[in-house]
């Protein structure tokens, strides 16, 4: 601000005001950058409060043996157990699903795995989709762009100005500052982080698991908590994104060209969520997505398709959920059971 | 580009304000403001601009015909108002707001569910035509003036409603910005943003959880509607403070919209304090236009017309209509009771009256907040205890333990602290540091997209 442009008499006030705002923003930005609570920046002085799941899984996939079965998907696929697959098929499995995972994440992870010299070990890819997987709400998650080791496998993706601006300004977010303070507190007390990733890709949320074990976890509240977001999303009547569809087909073709069996499954919603979303077009969304998948199935390279969008499709139970959209182990195992034969066939 | 966004604060506002200060007093100032207004609308959605421009051009043609005495002024005025009303009705009735009042996001407005601030633009343009017909505006109105008046970015989104004579000199950039306006502008913007992101948004987020939970008992229903009372006040008054503050930075003296409405002691007092620019508009252009006379029946009739219009102005939904009807009933009962008791001395302690009025307004919010008559019926039934007392623990599980604390804090502020307009702002350094700190905390707390509730109107 050039001072001659400011109404005379208010320059000093305006200067102090702007300097105070800039000072606070700079302090918060520097703390967030140095502490790096989500592991998004290049600094690594402290263990992140919440791990960057993409970073952790990219490191595993780059540095450990290539699995025979790779699980891709969003956090809805977290409960699909590599250990269960190994016990029933003998396949070495890895759960590479990531929070808010989008098609570009799945494509990048698959490409990273196939870039390994021993990529031929990969025989099966299990891709968990949901009714929102093809919605155009998030084309490229910012967490992916904050993970260069994975993002470079995502292919060319022109960054939208508004997105990058918002991402850069996350550095001044008060919520991140709170997590920076928590991270510092964690460093002082030496407590383990709330979120951690096992060598087979299984993600643990310490607090939630503790509540589940203690029987104090409130499933009703968790379902209710997620509903506003789901209702708002369904109310928008999003069309299926061509970008996501194109990337999905890239995954299909990539699997085909490497001789990998692709198994696609629709992950379930909680019955109460379905009931509430029915008037907002839940069934139409499911039918539209299934129609798209079947159309691509008929047109291009074959992939197996399992519709587990509601619990009655696989004999699941309504209490084996974490919230409106995420299942726990009992439901996940019931979903995996019919897919095991397909996986075994792939190895044969 | 809503007020509570980084692009607005880090890009648009500083550029426009500095440019305006530099050009203020020159012939180029008005073009700078017009450019800023167009840029603001285009950033929101360029597809909205042609439609808005068409409405403004039609209004300008009618205004010019009235000012030049081409035919009957009354006929032109009625024609212009009919065009504006038809445009508003078509947009409102053809694009019924989705779900409930908080579900309309900036994205919904942008994709064309509802053009930005259409109700505010329509009422501003209507006031111009009526003022011309009443000879309150006699000088020629240029197309540029008309466009700037209707789309001026500080108030185009959600008011406050302004009159032509209030802002015309400023629209030309003829009035230099005074230093005290800069202090006041920054003060109001900081307070307004704080109201929105530190109080209204956290309460709204928890309220959504509580509303999703469904049928709550007496405790839950009252907590929910009290929370909504706090949310809508801090959301809308926060926006209004920011609008007036942004206007002040550019030298505009925009009218204040709120005057501690939850301290009202009766329905008439409430409407003198709540959304003042709208209630004044309806009083001046509708209520008084219908004629008063000495008949009590006539006054009650006018009240119902005015309040039903205010209800419908918010949207084409039965819930809004019923909300207007409810307030018309409150006002009528109050006026009748005043007439009856005017000869007797009936004194209600002020605290009791204030509490009673707040309870009455909160019951009204159940009509306003609900997405259907069925839901509002359930809410009101819950508030009357028809679904039992309900458990506080159950409610807290769904709304979070911070909810009652936040709501109590918000209500305490409404009762104990003055409106920011009533505070004298000095240019002392500590004031700048305090405001800068509040503004920085608010900026850092802007999370995701939480649109202002009144954007949908």
């Amino acid at each position: 601000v050039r001072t001659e442009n400011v109404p005379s008499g208010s320059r000093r006030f305006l200067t102090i005001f702007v300097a105070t705002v800039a000072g606070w923003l700079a302090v918060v930005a520097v703390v967030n950058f140095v502490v790096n609570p989500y592991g998004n920046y290049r600094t690594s002085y402290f263990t992140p409060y919440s791990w960057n799941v993409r970073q952790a899984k990219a490191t595993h996939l780059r540095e450990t043996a290539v699995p025979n079965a790779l699980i891709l998907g969003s956090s809805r696929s977290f409960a699909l157990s590599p250990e269960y697959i190994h016990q029933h098929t003998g396949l070495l499995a890895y759960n590479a699903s990531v929070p808010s995972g989008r098609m570009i994440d799945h494509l990048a992870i698959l490409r990273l795995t196939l870039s390994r010299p021993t990529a031929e070990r990969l025989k099966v890819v299990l891709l968990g989709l949901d009714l929102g997987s093809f919605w155009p709400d998030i084309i490229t998650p910012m967490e992916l762009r904050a993970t260069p080791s994975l993002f470079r496998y995502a292919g060319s993706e022109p960054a939208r100005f508004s997105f990058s601006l918002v991402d850069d300004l996350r550095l001044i977010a008060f919520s991140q500052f709170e997590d920076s303070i928590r991270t510092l507190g964690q460093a002082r007390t030496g407590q383990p982080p709330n979120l951690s990733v096992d060598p087979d890709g299984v993600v643990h949320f310490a607090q939630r698991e503790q509540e589940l074990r203690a029987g104090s976890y409130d499933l009703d509240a968790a379902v209710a908590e997620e509903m506003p977001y789901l209702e708002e999303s369904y109310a928008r009547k999003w069309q299926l994104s061509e970008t996501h569809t194109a990337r999905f087909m890239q995954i299909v073709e990539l699997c085909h060209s490497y001789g990998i069996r692709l198994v696609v499954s629709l992950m379930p919603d909680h019955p109460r969520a379905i009931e509430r979303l029915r008037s907002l077009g839940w069934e139409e969304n499911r039918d539209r997505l299934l129609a798209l998948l079947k159309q691509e199935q008929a047109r291009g390279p074959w992939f197996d398709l399992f519709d587990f969008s509601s619990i009655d499709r696989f004999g699941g139970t309504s209490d084996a959920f974490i919230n409106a959209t995420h299942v726990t182990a009992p439901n996940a195992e019931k979903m995996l059971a019919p897919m095991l034969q397909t996986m075994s066939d792939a190895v044969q | 580009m809503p007020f509570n966004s980084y692009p607005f604060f880090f890009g648009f506002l500083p550029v426009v304000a500095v440019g305006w200060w530099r050009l203020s007093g020159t012939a180029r100032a008005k073009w700078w403001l017009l450019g800023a207004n167009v840029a603001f609308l285009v950033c929101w959605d360029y597809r909205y601009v042609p439609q808005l421009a068409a409405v403004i051009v039609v209004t300008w043609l009618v205004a010019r015909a009235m000012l030049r005495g081409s035919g009957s002024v009354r006929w032109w005025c009625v024609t212009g108002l009919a065009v504006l009303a038809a445009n508003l009705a078509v947009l409102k009735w053809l694009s019924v707001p989705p779900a409930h009042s908080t579900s309309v996001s900036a994205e919904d407005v942008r994709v064309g569910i509802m053009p930005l601030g259409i109700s505010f633009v329509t009422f501003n343009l209507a006031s111009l035509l009526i003022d011309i017909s009443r000879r309150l505006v006699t000088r020629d109105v240029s197309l540029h003036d008309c466009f700037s008046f209707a789309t001026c970015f500080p108030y185009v989104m959600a008011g406050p409603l302004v009159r032509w004579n209030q802002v015309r000199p400023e629209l030309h950039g003829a009035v230099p910005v005074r230093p005290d306006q800069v202090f006041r502008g920054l003060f109001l913007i900081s307070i307004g943003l704080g109201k929105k992101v530190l109080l209204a948004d956290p309460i709204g987020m928890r309220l959504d959880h509580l509303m999703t939970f469904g049928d709550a008992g007496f405790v839950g229903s009252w907590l929910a509607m009290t929370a909504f009372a706090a949310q809508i006040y801090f959301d809308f008054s926060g926006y209004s403070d920011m609008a007036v503050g942004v206007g002040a930075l550019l030298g505009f003296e925009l009218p204040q919209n709120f005057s501690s409405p939850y301290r009202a002691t009766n329905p008439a007092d409430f409407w003198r304090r709540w959304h003042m620019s709208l209630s004044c508009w309806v009083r001046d252009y509708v209520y008084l236009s219908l004629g008063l006379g000495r008949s009590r029946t006539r006054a009650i009739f006018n009240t119902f017309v005015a309040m039903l219009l205010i209800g419908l102005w918010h949207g084409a939904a039965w819930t809004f209509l019923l909300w207007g009807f409810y307030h018309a009933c409150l006002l009528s009962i109050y006026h009748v009771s005043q007439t009856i008791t005017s000869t007797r001395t009936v004194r209600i302690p002020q605290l009791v009256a204030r509490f009673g009025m707040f309870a009455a307004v909160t019951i009204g919010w159940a009509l306003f907040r609900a997405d259907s008559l069925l839901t509002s019926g359930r809410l009101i039934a819950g508030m009357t205890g028809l679904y039992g007392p309900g458990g506080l623990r159950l409610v807290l599980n769904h709304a979070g333990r911070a909810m009652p604390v936040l709501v109590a804090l918000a209500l305490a502020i409404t009762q104990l602290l003055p409106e920011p307009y009533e505070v004298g702002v000095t240019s002392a350094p500590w004031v700048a540091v305090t405001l800068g700190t509040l503004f920085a905390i608010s900026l850092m707390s802007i999370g995701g997209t939480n649109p202002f509730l009144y954007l949908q109107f």
Side-chain angles (χ1 to χ4, degrees):
Chain A
V1 177
R2 288 168 56 186
T3 52
E4 65 266 29
N5 296 335
V6 179
S8 62
S10 60
R11 283 173 203 155
R12 187 157 166 257
F13 186 89
L14 196 59
T15 306
I16 296 172
F17 178 86
V18 170
T20 306
V21 174
W24 280 116
L25 297 185
V27 166
V28 168
V30 167
V31 170
N32 282 343
F33 185 77
V34 171
V35 176
N36 196 3
Y38 307 138
N40 285 345
Y41 317 117
R42 291 181 182 177
T43 47
S44 55
Y45 304 110
F46 301 93
T47 306
Y49 175 74
S50 296
W51 285 33
N52 179 339
V53 174
R54 284 171 177 76
Q55 180 66 59
K57 294 196 173 183
T59 306
H60 286 165
L61 287 169
R62 211 172 39 242
E63 295 176 359
T64 58
V66 172
N68 308 124
L70 184 69
I71 301 164
L72 299 174
S74 65
S75 55
R76 288 172 177 250
S77 303
F78 277 175
L80 299 176
S81 164
E83 192 183 344
Y84 182 84
I85 294 172
H86 181 66
Q87 280 173 359
H88 290 82
T89 63
L91 293 172
L92 177 66
Y94 185 86
N95 189 326
S97 50
V98 291
S100 305
R102 289 294 187 274
M103 219 54 80
I104 192 170
D105 286 295
H106 315 328
L107 185 60
I109 292 169
L110 182 59
R111 280 178 178 163
L112 184 153
T113 312
L114 294 177
S115 72
R116 300 284 307 279
T118 51
E120 73 279 359
R121 290 173 58 117
L122 184 61
K123 300 294 180 194
V124 184
V125 166
L126 189 58
L127 176 59
L129 299 178
D130 58 79
L131 303 196
S133 290
F134 287 80
W135 284 346
D137 52 348
I138 302 171
I139 298 296
T140 308
M142 46 194 162
E143 294 86 352
L144 174 62
R145 274 192 277 114
T147 315
S149 57
L150 190 58
F151 189 46
R152 64 195 175 100
Y153 291 97
S156 58
E157 168 70 15
R160 287 176 56 185
F161 171 73
S162 59
F163 274 28
S164 64
L165 178 68
V166 170
D167 290 352
D168 293 341
L169 291 173
R170 278 187 76 205
L171 199 57
I172 61 165
F174 200 73
S175 55
Q176 189 172 161
F177 183 68
E178 286 174 327
D179 281 339
S180 291
I181 300 299
R182 286 196 190 112
T183 303
L184 290 173
Q186 174 197 306
R188 193 171 55 82
T189 59
Q191 279 183 347
N194 179 42
L195 193 154
S196 59
V197 184
D198 280 352
D200 61 358
V202 170
V203 177
H204 293 284
F205 294 90
Q207 191 183 341
R208 186 201 293 157
E209 286 171 10
Q210 195 180 346
E211 286 176 15
L212 282 168
R213 275 196 300 272
S216 60
Y217 188 75
D218 188 344
L219 175 60
D220 290 341
V223 172
E225 188 176 345
E226 224 182 346
M227 288 314 298
Y229 164 74
L230 288 172
E231 285 175 333
E232 194 184 329
S233 299
Y234 275 81
R236 286 168 190 263
K237 310 276 181 205
W238 269 317
Q239 297 300 307
L240 300 179
S241 155
E242 288 178 10
T243 313
H244 288 320
T245 309
R247 291 207 178 109
F248 172 72
M249 285 315 295
Q250 279 180 282
I251 292 172
V252 174
E253 279 157 16
L254 209 49
C255 288
H256 177 70
S257 62
Y258 277 80
I260 298 166
R261 185 81 172 252
L262 176 63
V263 183
V264 177
S265 64
L266 288 193
M267 305 301 285
D269 287 325
H270 194 277
R272 216 174 309 142
I274 295 175
E275 196 54 43
R276 290 192 67 138
L277 295 172
R278 193 157 275 145
S279 63
L280 293 168
W282 184 89
E283 274 157 350
E284 289 85 342
N285 268 283
R286 183 198 56 193
D287 295 345
R288 201 171 46 164
L289 179 57
L290 281 173
L292 173 83
L293 293 173
K294 283 175 182 166
Q295 181 189 320
E296 299 299 345
Q297 200 181 30
R299 186 192 299 170
W302 179 260
F303 56 87
D304 298 282
L305 178 60
F306 290 86
D307 174 15
F308 296 142
S309 53
S310 55
I311 54 172
D312 55 315
R313 303 263 171 174
F314 59 93
T317 56
S318 62
D319 55 346
F321 276 82
I322 290 167
N323 51 26
T325 53
H326 295 73
V327 294
T328 54
N331 271 346
E333 287 173 6
K334 283 178 183 164
M335 290 160 62
L336 279 172
M339 292 193 272
L340 293 175
Q341 187 58 48
T342 309
M343 293 187 203
S344 300
D345 292 348
V347 183
Q348 301 298 322
Chain B
M1 198 193 313
F3 285 171
N4 56 336
S5 69
Y6 291 138
F8 180 76
F9 284 118
F10 290 126
F12 186 83
L13 184 60
V15 170
V16 171
V18 171
W20 181 257
W21 293 338
R22 183 168 194 159
L23 296 173
S24 192
T26 71
R28 285 180 293 171
K30 65 177 186 178
W31 296 107
W32 178 257
L33 182 64
L34 182 66
N37 295 337
V38 172
F40 191 79
L41 292 174
V42 168
C43 283
W44 198 277
D45 190 340
Y46 64 90
R47 289 170 296 178
Y48 169 52
V49 177
Q51 183 204 11
L52 183 63
V55 173
I56 294 169
V57 168
V58 169
T59 309
W60 171 68
L61 288 171
V62 171
R64 204 169 66 152
M66 290 166 74
L67 286 164
R68 293 186 177 178
S70 321
S72 161
V73 169
R74 191 182 173 83
W75 186 88
W76 276 117
C77 184
V78 170
T79 306
L81 292 177
V83 169
L84 288 171
N87 180 58
L88 184 63
V90 165
L91 288 169
K92 288 262 177 184
W93 286 97
L94 288 186
S95 50
V96 178
H100 52 73
S101 55
T102 58
S103 71
V104 177
S105 66
E107 186 69 18
D108 292 329
V109 176
R110 203 163 44 166
V111 298
I113 286 177
M114 197 75 75
L116 176 63
I118 188 65
S119 306
F120 292 92
V121 171
T122 302
F123 271 39
N124 280 339
L125 289 173
S127 75
L128 171 63
L129 295 181
I130 298 171
D131 283 353
I132 292 173
S133 75
R134 291 177 176 178
R135 302 199 182 285
L136 295 171
V137 176
T138 51
R139 293 176 62 180
D140 199 18
V141 174
S142 69
L143 180 59
H144 163 275
D145 288 344
C146 197
F147 201 93
S148 277
F149 171 66
T151 63
C152 194
F153 77 89
Y155 57 77
V156 69
M157 279 197 300
L161 291 166
V162 295
R163 313 287 169 89
W164 175 262
N165 288 331
Q166 279 177 327
V167 293
R168 189 185 172 280
E170 286 86 353
L171 290 174
H172 279 255
V175 185
V177 181
R178 299 189 312 271
D180 66 286
Q181 287 180 310
V182 176
F183 311 148
R184 207 164 61 87
L186 293 176
F187 176 71
L188 289 173
I189 291 171
S190 305
I191 296 286
L193 186 63
K195 280 181 176 179
K196 168 68 178 162
V197 302
L198 302 179
L199 285 169
D201 286 349
I203 290 174
M205 188 182 71
R206 288 166 175 83
L207 174 63
D208 283 345
H209 290 196
L210 191 56
M211 294 293 281
T212 308
F213 172 54
D215 291 339
F218 181 81
V219 175
S221 301
W222 271 102
L223 180 62
M225 285 306 99
T226 310
F228 183 65
Q231 184 201 3
I232 195 166
Y233 168 70
F234 281 101
D235 191 285
F236 192 23
S237 76
Y239 162 80
S240 298
D241 292 347
M242 291 175 75
V244 177
V246 169
L249 279 185
L250 305 182
F252 284 72
E253 292 291 343
L254 299 179
Q256 75 179 78
N257 237 355
F258 292 90
S259 177
S260 306
Y262 293 147
R263 285 189 223 173
T265 52
N266 59 61
D269 190 23
F270 176 77
W271 281 103
R272 278 193 294 271
R273 294 163 176 266
W274 179 270
H275 201 172
M276 293 152 72
S277 65
L278 176 65
S279 51
C280 287
W281 195 101
V282 172
R283 181 198 63 200
D284 293 348
Y285 295 117
V286 179
Y287 186 87
L288 295 176
S289 299
L290 293 170
L292 276 178
R294 291 186 174 181
S295 158
R296 191 192 303 159
T297 318
R298 182 76 194 198
I300 290 175
F301 172 78
N302 290 1
T303 302
F304 271 87
V305 171
M307 296 314 296
L308 290 177
L309 179 68
I310 286 180
L312 275 179
W313 178 87
H314 286 87
W318 289 107
T319 46
F320 291 133
L321 195 68
L322 203 58
W323 177 73
F325 181 81
Y326 171 76
H327 274 278
C329 291
L330 288 183
L331 282 164
S332 302
I333 292 167
Y334 171 71
H335 285 307
V336 170
S337 69
Q338 283 296 101
T339 319
I340 294 169
T341 58
S342 60
T343 51
R344 292 180 236 160
T345 312
V346 180
R347 290 208 168 196
I348 302 172
Q350 202 185 27
L351 266 181
V352 175
R354 204 186 268 190
F355 178 78
M357 191 57 222
F358 178 74
V361 169
T362 305
I363 290 169
W365 289 135
L367 298 166
F368 193 94
R369 171 62 168 78
D371 57 351
S372 66
L373 288 179
L374 191 67
T375 314
S376 52
R378 278 185 190 157
L379 271 169
I380 292 171
M383 293 170 90
T384 53
L386 280 179
Y387 296 136
L392 185 62
R393 193 177 159 194
L394 194 64
V395 172
L396 294 183
N397 277 344
H398 292 281
R401 290 175 194 283
M403 171 87 150
V405 179
L406 270 171
V407 173
L409 174 69
L411 292 182
I413 289 172
T414 64
Q415 297 301 314
L416 301 174
L417 295 185
E419 288 286 345
Y421 310 94
E422 297 157 21
V423 178
V425 186
T426 68
S427 59
W430 71 268
V431 175
V433 171
T434 308
L435 281 185
T437 303
L438 173 65
F439 185 67
I441 291 171
S442 304
L443 263 187
M444 291 185 284
S445 305
I446 293 175
T449 49
N450 289 308
F452 289 100
L453 294 180
Y454 261 69
L455 279 191
Q456 63 186 301
F457 307 129

